C-alpha cells in the first residue's frame, strides 16, 4: 500500500500513518515532533521522519493525499471537520520505538 510513496520502506505501522494523517488533515491539528512521539509511542526521530514524509507525500503526490483524505472522511462518516471526535488521536496507535 505504501509502495512508490514517501511512506515506502518504513517500519511504522499503516495504522500509525493513518492516525497521524487523520489528525493533520481531518482534525487540522498542528502536532510537534514531541507530541507525535508521545501520542503514537514512537521515538523522537521516527516521529520527525513521519512528519517529514507526510509533508513530502502532500508535496509530491497531492492527488493521492486528497484521495486518502476523502477516504478517511468516508470511513469516519464525517463530511465536515467539526464532526470529528476530539479523542481520535489515541496513545499507542503504533509500536515503533
Amino acid at each position: 500500500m505504501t509502495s512508490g510513496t514517501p511512506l515506502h520502506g518504513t517500519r511504522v505501522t499503516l495504522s500509525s500513518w493513518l492516525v497521524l494523517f487523520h489528525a493533520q488533515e481531518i482534525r487540522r491539528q498542528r502536532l510537534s515532533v514531541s507530541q507525535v512521539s508521545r501520542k503514537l509511542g514512537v521515538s523522537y526521530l521516527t516521529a520527525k521522519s513521519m512528519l517529514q514524509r507526510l509533508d513530502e507525500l502532500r508535496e509530491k503526490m497531492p492527488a493521492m493525499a486528497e484521495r486518502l483524505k476523502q477516504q478517511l472522511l468516508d470511513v469516519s462518516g464525517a463530511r465536515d471537520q467539526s464532526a470529528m471526535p476530539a479523542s481520535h488521536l489515541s496513545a499507542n496507535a503504533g509500536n515503533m520505538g
Side-chain angles (χ1 to χ4, degrees):
M1 176 151 198
T2 60
S3 182
T5 72
L7 312 183
H8 179 76
T10 67
R11 294 181 291 165
V12 175
T13 63
L14 186 56
S15 62
S16 291
W17 285 114
L18 292 174
V19 166
L20 180 56
F21 189 83
H22 182 273
Q24 290 184 320
E25 293 296 318
I26 308 301
R27 295 190 58 229
R28 297 278 195 212
Q29 290 182 329
R30 293 187 50 105
L31 300 169
S32 69
V33 176
S34 294
Q35 288 172 314
V36 172
S37 174
R38 199 170 39 252
K39 296 286 187 181
L40 297 179
V42 298
S43 73
Y44 183 90
L45 292 177
T46 297
K48 183 177 179 180
S49 174
M50 289 177 76
L51 291 170
Q52 290 170 340
R53 285 175 185 244
L54 283 180
D55 286 344
E56 185 179 347
L57 176 73
R58 286 186 208 90
E59 180 182 317
K60 293 184 177 179
M61 305 177 92
M64 177 183 232
E66 185 58 33
R67 278 192 314 271
L68 178 56
K69 180 178 177 179
Q70 290 306 312
Q71 289 173 348
L72 287 172
L73 284 169
D74 290 345
V75 168
S76 70
R79 288 289 170 201
D80 66 331
Q81 297 165 10
S82 63
M84 296 310 301
S87 63
H88 216 63
L89 184 62
S90 61
N92 298 323
N95 56 7
M96 178 69 192

